[in-house]
Amino acid sequence: MPIGRLARLCRLTVKALRHYDAQGLLAPTWTDPRSGYRYYRAEQVSTATSIALLRSLDVPIAVIRSALAAESEQALAAVLGAERDCAARDLAAREQTLRSIERLIRGTDAMRYHVTLHEQRPSRLVGVRGTARAEHLDPDTGTLCAQAEALLATTGLTSDEGLTALFPLDLEDTISVTVGAIISSTVTLRPGTVEEMLPGGTWASTLHVGPYVELPLAYAALLEHLHERGHTALAPITETYLVDPTSASPHELLTRVAVPLDLPD
Amino acid sequence: MPIGRLARLCRLTVKALRHYDAQGLLAPTWTDPRSGYRYYRAEQVSTATSIALLRSLDVPIAVIRSALAAESEQALAAVLGAERDCAARDLAAREQTLRSIERLIRGTDAMRYHVTLHEQRPSRLVGVRGTARAEHLDPDTGTLCAQAEALLATTGLTSDEGLTALFPLDLEDTISVTVGAIISSTVTLRPGTVEEMLPGGTWASTLHVGPYVELPLAYAALLEHLHERGHTALAPITETYLVDPTSASPHELLTRVAVPLDLPD
DNA sequence: TTGCTCCTCACGTCACGTGAGGTGGC
DNA sequence: TTGCTCCTCACGTCACGTGAGGTGGC
């Protein structure tokens, strides 16, 4: 069976089949050494069709190769299972994507940030400190939040609002993040607990409604607002998670972003 | 503001920002002609952050460019709306993907096709005929099915099973497809109605459970089975949709694929 | 013999990432 | 002055698609 016939049978292009030959995914059973013509057997139709199906699912060629090479059913299930997990993560991300675009369309209004200034007394944040990688800021912060939650639960401490995270103003590759609760009472610190003082004075803050991936928009709006007015932001920049992300859907999340300002008294 | 600072502020890489400059997406407000250094303004942080967000949603650079160039809110909404529709389709496809992979994992069993032979008397198929493009075979066939459904409803004809579609054995770029119901009674044909005789004799058939995108697997299994036994398939190859695709979810669909054989009597 | 199929380069797509090798800015 | 940031090529990634220019097979 020449390449064109196989292509029509399994709904692939001739170019794709030649590519799979070059990649060692599916070689013809016989190639004429003079003409270079590729000839396939009828048994290869189902393999080619499986490849077509997997490729339509965006399974990479390398993964398909290892799936075809799998000797046991279990090995095959392992390869496909990994791919399914991958697809599941992808699906979740896509769902977020869709909602984000919808938000961008519906409310240019919801995307406007109102920046307010307020006076605040110095305060104490009690919790944990760790490092986060800039590329994985959201998940790494999430992990720290969980640790802080666990720690605070054992000490019986609670804050009026949700957890607060402190970030440096400039995001390096790996940054130091502190997460905890703002506490007014005096407590004895347990091992592993970290305490950080937040400066008093004028703070600027804005509210963000929606998933955490969109938080950079709030940062940009806040910092631009301050820049326009000639204000200088001090460290740390803080995020307070006013809605519990483990029980609310991402587009319902409410987060306050705030920074202390360097203002003459 | 140099490029590195902007990159950290909006969580983009320096490479990406240079790329956006080259693509005309986001040019620095000033480029030093001697050193080539790019300098950005604070106002560009929010634009860059929006770009970062849209790119994380896989919105192509060309689309972002037109979104940034949109002069009215409506124009912007139109661009983003198109992108949202695109993402929605993508999401639906991904969902299918996930289920298909799960099926591939769970049941290597469910993916096995049992081919049966049976004798059949010549029959008549009454319905509509149209062309379908090989790359859009499933949607084009769906359209024809809807037309056939509408036509049959006006004539009061019903078949015991669902609609049946007839395909040639070899799929060209554009192929002729007939869709309709198999009818035993004699009826007067209305204008626009097409009648086709199906040959009697021995037919081979197999059942496919699941979405239509996986049907090529059934074809491959059926044709390979016949090839192994030295049988020759005749045209047309038929698909009978035993479960209504408009009311059932794709993984519940049941389809019979059948072909007449060229057997000596 | 005609027309169709098939062949092999070589390059394009898309949004960057990855060095190499070098220079500017504080 | 040191070390960091920034620069520009040039090439790689991934799974093919798109011609160009030519030949084999029925």
Side-chain angles (χ1 to χ4, degrees):
Chain A
M1 184 193 316
I3 196 168
R5 176 141 180 74
L6 178 63
R8 287 191 300 273
L9 276 176
C10 52
R11 306 189 194 180
L12 283 166
T13 65
V14 169
K15 297 281 186 180
L17 281 172
R18 284 206 272 255
H19 186 61
Y20 299 152
D21 181 15
Q23 297 298 308
L25 245 198
L26 181 69
T29 48
W30 153 250
T31 304
D32 187 329
R34 311 168 184 256
S35 66
Y37 274 38
R38 296 168 177 83
Y39 294 98
Y40 296 84
R41 287 227 187 112
E43 298 91 82
Q44 298 186 283
V45 174
S46 65
T47 309
T49 306
S50 299
I51 293 172
L53 183 63
L54 288 168
R55 279 299 306 138
S56 80
L57 306 184
D58 261 351
V59 177
I61 282 189
V63 175
I64 300 179
R65 192 178 3 238
S66 51
L68 292 180
E71 300 197 344
S72 67
E73 294 262 321
Q74 289 159 4
L76 178 64
V79 170
L80 291 182
E83 206 48 35
R84 187 207 46 194
D85 293 347
C86 195
R89 279 195 300 275
D90 220 76
L91 182 60
R94 290 276 160 170
E95 215 146 11
Q96 274 317 308
T97 296
L98 194 52
R99 290 199 187 280
S100 291
I101 294 185
E102 278 173 345
R103 276 167 43 83
L104 281 172
I105 294 168
R106 255 209 308 277
T108 324
D109 229 31
M111 295 314 256
R112 268 180 213 131
Y113 293 94
H114 298 274
V115 176
T116 58
L117 301 188
H118 64 278
E119 296 299 315
Q120 194 174 298
R121 292 209 282 172
S123 57
R124 299 170 59 225
L125 182 129
V126 174
V128 297
R129 182 172 297 146
T131 58
R133 297 152 296 172
E135 331 86 90
H136 302 110
L137 201 52
D138 292 346
D140 286 357
T141 305
T143 307
L144 285 171
C145 282
Q147 290 173 17
E149 198 84 60
L151 187 80
L152 292 170
T154 64
T155 59
L157 291 174
T158 53
S159 69
D160 305 342
E161 301 179 316
L163 290 174
T164 294
L166 312 185
F167 300 90
L169 276 177
D170 202 340
L171 300 179
E172 314 277 325
D173 281 356
T174 61
I175 57 186
S176 172
V177 179
T178 311
V179 180
I182 289 175
I183 304 287
S184 48
S185 58
T186 311
V187 291
T188 318
L189 294 184
R190 290 198 170 197
T193 309
V194 155
E195 186 191 45
E196 189 147 334
M197 295 306 294
L198 297 176
T202 306
W203 284 62
S205 71
T206 191
L207 272 182
H208 172 73
V209 186
Y212 295 149
V213 289
E214 291 172 6
L215 275 172
L217 290 174
Y219 275 64
L222 179 59
L223 296 178
E224 264 176 48
H225 178 98
L226 298 176
H227 182 264
E228 280 168 15
R229 283 158 186 75
H231 297 333
T232 304
L234 297 175
I237 194 156
T238 70
E239 297 177 1
T240 304
Y241 310 107
L242 303 170
V243 170
D244 179 13
T246 60
S247 62
S249 77
H251 61 281
E252 295 170 342
L253 295 175
L254 203 61
T255 310
R256 186 175 55 232
V257 180
V259 266
L261 298 185
D262 183 19
L263 285 185
D265 289 331
Chain B
M1 183 193 316
I3 196 167
R5 175 142 180 73
L6 178 63
R8 287 191 299 272
L9 276 176
C10 52
R11 307 188 193 178
L12 282 166
T13 65
V14 169
K15 298 281 185 181
L17 281 172
R18 284 205 273 257
H19 186 62
Y20 299 153
D21 182 15
Q23 297 299 307
L25 245 197
L26 181 69
T29 47
W30 155 252
T31 304
D32 188 329
R34 310 167 185 256
S35 66
Y37 274 39
R38 295 168 177 83
Y39 294 98
Y40 297 84
R41 287 228 188 109
E43 299 90 83
Q44 299 186 283
V45 174
S46 66
T47 309
T49 305
S50 299
I51 293 173
L53 183 62
L54 289 168
R55 279 299 306 139
S56 80
L57 305 185
D58 261 351
V59 177
I61 282 190
V63 175
I64 300 179
R65 191 175 9 235
S66 51
L68 292 180
E71 301 197 341
S72 67
E73 293 262 321
Q74 288 158 4
L76 178 64
V79 170
L80 291 182
E83 206 49 36
R84 188 207 43 194
D85 293 348
C86 194
R89 278 194 300 276
D90 220 78
L91 182 61
R94 291 276 160 169
E95 214 145 11
Q96 273 318 308
T97 296
L98 194 52
R99 291 200 186 279
S100 291
I101 295 185
E102 278 174 345
R103 277 166 41 83
L104 280 171
I105 295 169
R106 253 208 310 275
T108 324
D109 229 30
M111 296 313 256
R112 267 178 213 134
Y113 294 94
H114 298 275
V115 176
T116 58
L117 301 189
H118 64 279
E119 296 299 315
Q120 194 174 300
R121 291 208 284 172
S123 57
R124 299 169 59 226
L125 182 128
V126 174
V128 297
R129 181 173 298 145
T131 58
R133 298 152 295 172
E135 329 87 88
H136 302 110
L137 201 54
D138 292 346
D140 286 357
T141 304
T143 306
L144 285 172
C145 280
Q147 290 173 17
E149 199 84 60
L151 186 81
L152 292 170
T154 64
T155 58
L157 291 174
T158 53
S159 71
D160 305 341
E161 302 180 315
L163 290 173
T164 295
L166 312 185
F167 300 90
L169 275 177
D170 202 339
L171 300 179
E172 314 277 323
D173 282 355
T174 61
I175 57 185
S176 173
V177 178
T178 310
V179 180
I182 290 175
I183 303 288
S184 48
S185 58
T186 312
V187 290
T188 320
L189 295 182
R190 290 198 170 197
T193 310
V194 155
E195 186 190 46
E196 189 148 335
M197 295 306 294
L198 296 176
T202 306
W203 285 61
S205 72
T206 191
L207 271 181
H208 172 72
V209 186
Y212 295 149
V213 288
E214 291 172 5
L215 274 173
L217 290 174
Y219 274 64
L222 179 59
L223 295 178
E224 264 177 46
H225 178 97
L226 298 176
H227 182 266
E228 280 169 13
R229 281 157 187 76
H231 297 332
T232 304
L234 297 175
I237 194 156
T238 70
E239 296 177 0
T240 303
Y241 310 107
L242 303 170
V243 171
D244 179 13
T246 60
S247 63
S249 77
H251 61 282
E252 295 170 342
L253 295 176
L254 203 61
T255 309
R256 185 176 55 232
V257 179
V259 267
L261 300 184
D262 183 19
L263 285 186
D265 288 330

